Amino acid sequence: MPVIEARELTKIYGEVRAVDQISFEVAPGESFGLLGPNGAGKSTTMRMIGGTSLRTSGTLLVNGLDPEVNGPEVRANLGVVPQQDNLDNELRARENLVMYGRYFGLPYSYLRPKAEELLQFAQLTEKAAEKVDNLSGGMKRRLTIARALINEPRVLLLDEPTTGLDPQARHILWDRLFRLKEQGVTLIVTTHFMDEAEQLCDRLIVMDHGRIVAGGSPAELIRQYSTREVLELRFGSERNASLVDQLRDFGRLEVLPDRVLVYTEDGEAALEAVRHRGLVPVTSLVRRSSLEDVFLRLTGRSLID
Amino acid sequence: MTDFVDTNALAYSGRALQPARQAELTRRWGWWYQAEWRLIGMKAYWSSAVGTALLTPVLYLIAMGVGLGTLVDAGSGGVGGVPYLTFVAPGLLVSTVVMSAGSELTFPVMDGFKWSKLYFARSATAASALQVSIGELVAVGVRFLGEAVIFWLVLIVAGVVGFGSWPMVLVAALAGLSFGAPLMAYAATLEEEGFQFSLVQRFVIAPMFLFAGTFFPLESMPLYLQWIGWISPMWHGTQIARMLAYGMPLPWWMVLLHLLFLVAVLVVGAVLAIRFFTRRLAR
């Protein structure tokens, strides 16, 4: 049985179709991503899974149950990490875990030792007695994830888990999430960072304006919607656009304000040919295609404005 | 960064209750989990709350007993045949509790939705919006009881009331919730900053305190002002408290009417609060 089964799932706020007839399934143990820019409908989808946003139409089953009918049963199986940390700033780190666990009917005899384990997992043992107010952004994020694990859920919903964190804090977090995945926890992650999606997700859907524009594993998506390599050329902001005509025959191009992207199977060869033509970029870079390129191809826009 | 715990045991230790059991317990007790959290959260200002609860009646006793009371008793021989302090004390107990609803069920509610967003954290657990709103009322009710007990003990020590008057503690908490439940419902509808709360403070709570029969019998006001008392939980609670404190004559059906009013407003307020909480937490 799939962990999540969404059919024609739709959410309309007033005039806005926040989520527009999306269908997808998530298998147990899978790490599933919803990739898209802000406002694509990712968070709304997440809230519908937890039953805290009511769908306008369509069907949605979480572990075979409708979250709007069996809210408590569905949420007892979910660990929810919201986009914004909503920890209790008045309480200490340890108390935040214990008190949250109470909302799942769990006794203190279970919660106290469990909280210590989770604090260790989140590398917050030394901060256990600290008020949440005194923790750094990365620490709060890890505490929020630890809190979501207090009831040993089989499914973890992570809404933009690393937004606002520095690179080191992100890597620590990814490592923690990866460990959970190894233990069979199903991860459902929304993100607008392609590197995060590539790191964490076995499979993902790309969302834009509430609709699914593509789906598959990161490698499949790149294979399908992009070339093997990308040549990034910077000619200076004045000249980027004016040189486009001279590059047309190299293949697909994307002209961004600060650079021109040339989609090609062999980036070095393309760069050589560009130089041969007497065009000298200020800087150039050959890289492998990423999900960012997939998104650009599918929507004509970057993920991060 | 190397001392990892066994993540296998972390994800499924086998010690946690089965999800179905978690859901079952929370369906039954979710309201209490919310109350428990709110009461534990109150420890942040517990000592100041107790201090205030002790100091308030002491100050009132001095001002009303030694000060105003002396004057009133000398001028007219008390109110309704009892010394002014005896008359005013039950009203002060009830109004003090009712007025603390103005702080416990306004900004904390807005905080839960808007600033700390803790209500949203609760709605992601197995608990429901209904349980969160009821739990808030239960916790605040417990706090009201504590406040009323302290006030009452001060009155006992000062010899103003006897031990037999203890049910007025319950009446005060009921009156507090009766005023507080609709206030909480209102607070749950506010999306923007809480300047409305200072309007409530100035144009609802203050007039109620002054005109709803706490300091003088409602009947001594002109009829066109008496409605302020009739619609105030403060007055209905005070009337019963006076009967309990010094045997102010009150027919049984009036007692019933006062109680019915308090319960009815509490129920309507709670139903509205549940509705607004649900609407806001699951939209």
Side-chain angles (χ1 to χ4, degrees):
Chain A
M1 183 174 66
V3 173
I4 313 272
E5 210 178 336
R7 292 271 164 274
E8 312 269 304
L9 188 60
T10 301
K11 176 70 186 185
I12 301 174
Y13 291 107
E15 300 282 292
V16 184
R17 302 180 81 85
V19 175
D20 197 357
Q21 297 194 307
I22 66 170
S23 300
F24 62 92
E25 280 185 12
V26 181
E30 195 176 17
S31 181
F32 184 80
L34 291 88
L35 179 73
N38 291 327
K42 304 174 310 245
S43 298
T44 305
T45 305
M46 293 290 244
R47 284 201 300 274
M48 286 194 280
I49 292 172
T52 54
S53 179
L54 308 179
R55 60 184 179 271
T56 309
S57 63
T59 60
L60 177 63
L61 295 177
V62 181
N63 291 310
L65 297 171
D66 182 337
E68 287 182 27
V69 180
N70 297 95
E73 287 75 16
V74 165
R75 289 191 293 274
N77 257 310
L78 295 180
V80 178
V81 178
Q83 198 166 342
Q84 279 180 300
D85 293 324
N86 47 23
L87 296 158
D88 189 335
N89 291 319
E90 299 293 324
L91 296 183
R92 294 163 205 291
R94 178 189 287 127
E95 295 169 326
N96 258 281
L97 301 181
V98 173
M99 291 315 294
Y100 192 80
R102 291 291 289 153
Y103 285 80
F104 294 94
L106 297 164
Y108 285 105
S109 58
Y110 160 82
L111 289 169
R112 291 219 175 85
K114 183 72 185 177
E116 298 311 316
E117 283 176 26
L118 286 170
L119 286 166
Q120 204 179 333
F121 170 73
Q123 296 180 342
L124 290 169
T125 304
E126 280 144 42
K127 303 284 179 185
E130 200 77 55
K131 277 199 178 179
V132 169
D133 256 341
N134 302 332
L135 302 183
S136 73
M139 290 175 184
K140 284 184 189 174
R141 207 64 189 140
R142 297 206 299 272
L143 185 61
T144 304
I145 291 175
R147 188 182 71 171
L149 294 169
I150 194 81
N151 61 321
E152 303 200 343
R154 321 292 287 198
V155 184
L156 203 52
L157 300 184
L158 300 137
D159 198 353
E160 303 276 354
T162 66
T163 298
L165 299 187
D166 62 56
Q168 198 206 350
R170 298 179 76 200
H171 281 281
I172 295 176
L173 243 170
W174 286 340
D175 169 73
R176 289 298 175 275
L177 295 176
F178 211 78
R179 281 158 198 277
L180 292 170
K181 176 177 154 48
E182 284 177 337
Q183 305 314 323
V185 177
T186 307
L187 302 180
I188 301 176
V189 185
T190 78
T191 183
H192 62 269
F193 295 121
M194 51 180 184
D195 55 343
E196 184 157 272
E198 282 171 352
Q199 286 267 347
L200 285 178
C201 302
D202 303 326
R203 201 161 62 81
L204 53 91
I205 51 177
V206 181
M207 289 184 75
D208 191 33
H209 297 307
R211 280 190 293 271
I212 297 176
V213 288
S217 71
E220 278 167 16
L221 286 168
I222 290 166
R223 205 159 45 236
Q224 193 177 348
Y225 294 101
S226 193
T227 49
R228 209 171 78 90
E229 295 190 335
V230 184
L231 170 61
E232 294 198 1
L233 299 169
R234 289 168 203 261
F235 293 101
S237 49
E238 303 292 300
R239 295 177 62 216
N240 282 339
S242 61
L243 290 174
V244 167
D245 281 339
Q246 301 181 53
L247 296 168
R248 286 256 185 256
D249 52 323
F250 283 102
R252 191 168 76 85
L253 299 178
E254 289 287 349
V255 185
L256 304 179
D258 60 333
R259 65 211 141 114
V260 179
L261 306 182
V262 181
Y263 289 91
T264 172
E265 288 305 309
D266 186 343
E268 290 296 345
L271 178 59
E272 200 51 45
V274 168
R275 290 226 172 92
H276 196 74
R277 222 169 258 193
L279 302 172
V280 186
V282 182
T283 63
S284 63
L285 169 75
V286 175
R287 60 169 176 82
R288 297 184 76 90
S289 273
S290 72
L291 287 170
E292 177 80 44
D293 301 298
V294 172
F295 190 79
L296 203 57
R297 168 74 186 275
L298 289 167
T299 67
R301 288 178 292 116
S302 330
L303 276 165
I304 306 161
D305 299 318
Chain B
M1 302 205 178
T2 46
D3 55 333
F4 302 131
V5 286
D6 180 357
T7 49
N8 197 10
L10 192 87
Y12 311 118
S13 68
R15 284 183 283 122
L17 300 169
Q18 285 302 305
R21 179 70 182 142
Q22 290 179 20
E24 188 189 332
L25 279 168
T26 307
R27 272 189 190 276
R28 198 176 311 150
W29 294 108
W31 61 274
W32 171 248
Y33 303 145
Q34 174 67 25
E36 197 178 294
W37 163 70
R38 178 74 188 265
L39 287 167
I40 285 176
M42 283 180 192
K43 78 177 182 192
Y45 56 96
W46 190 84
S47 53
S48 78
V50 170
T52 310
L54 260 173
L55 200 63
T56 307
V58 171
L59 291 180
Y60 277 143
L61 282 176
I62 296 169
M64 301 298 158
V66 183
L68 188 61
T70 318
L71 198 68
V72 173
D73 294 345
S76 59
V79 180
V82 294
Y84 185 65
L85 186 61
T86 308
F87 167 81
V88 86
L92 289 171
L93 188 153
V94 172
S95 20
T96 301
V97 173
V98 169
M99 283 193 293
S100 58
S103 54
E104 289 292 345
L105 289 165
T106 50
F107 286 105
V109 174
M110 174 155 276
D111 177 67
F113 283 117
K114 195 175 156 65
W115 298 314
S116 72
K117 296 187 185 295
L118 277 171
Y119 290 150
F120 292 96
R122 304 312 167 214
S123 70
T125 68
S128 67
L130 180 150
Q131 292 174 323
V132 169
S133 50
I134 295 298
E136 289 287 85
L137 282 175
V138 170
V140 170
V142 170
R143 184 230 194 278
F144 286 168
L145 268 181
E147 191 181 16
V149 166
I150 292 173
F151 201 118
W152 178 72
L153 285 173
V154 171
L155 294 183
I156 293 270
V157 170
V160 180
V161 298
F163 279 104
S165 67
W166 67 268
M168 68 197 265
V169 167
L170 301 177
V171 172
L174 173 64
L177 287 176
S178 175
F179 178 67
L183 190 59
M184 175 169 91
Y186 172 65
T189 64
L190 299 177
E191 305 266 350
E192 295 304 323
E193 217 57 47
F195 71 91
Q196 294 92 337
F197 297 145
S198 55
L199 297 184
V200 169
Q201 201 63 248
R202 236 164 271 165
F203 297 109
V204 179
I205 296 178
M208 182 162 69
F209 185 48
L210 291 173
F211 299 112
T214 303
F215 297 100
F216 42 84
L218 196 62
E219 307 82 64
S220 61
M221 279 204 304
L223 202 60
Y224 62 86
L225 280 181
Q226 289 189 22
W227 62 269
I228 298 177
W230 300 335
I231 61 163
S232 300
M234 211 180 256
W235 179 69
H236 293 277
T238 297
Q239 290 299 92
I240 305 174
R242 287 203 171 115
M243 182 198 75
L244 293 165
Y246 63 90
M248 182 185 82
L250 201 61
W252 65 268
W253 56 269
M254 270 308 283
V255 177
L256 196 67
L257 219 57
H258 288 310
L259 280 175
L260 273 178
F261 177 90
L262 292 176
V263 171
V265 175
L266 169 57
V267 169
V268 169
V271 167
L272 288 175
I274 291 167
R275 180 175 299 180
F276 297 148
F277 267 63
T278 306
R279 192 181 296 169
R280 200 136 172 209
L281 293 177
R283 50 171 102 195

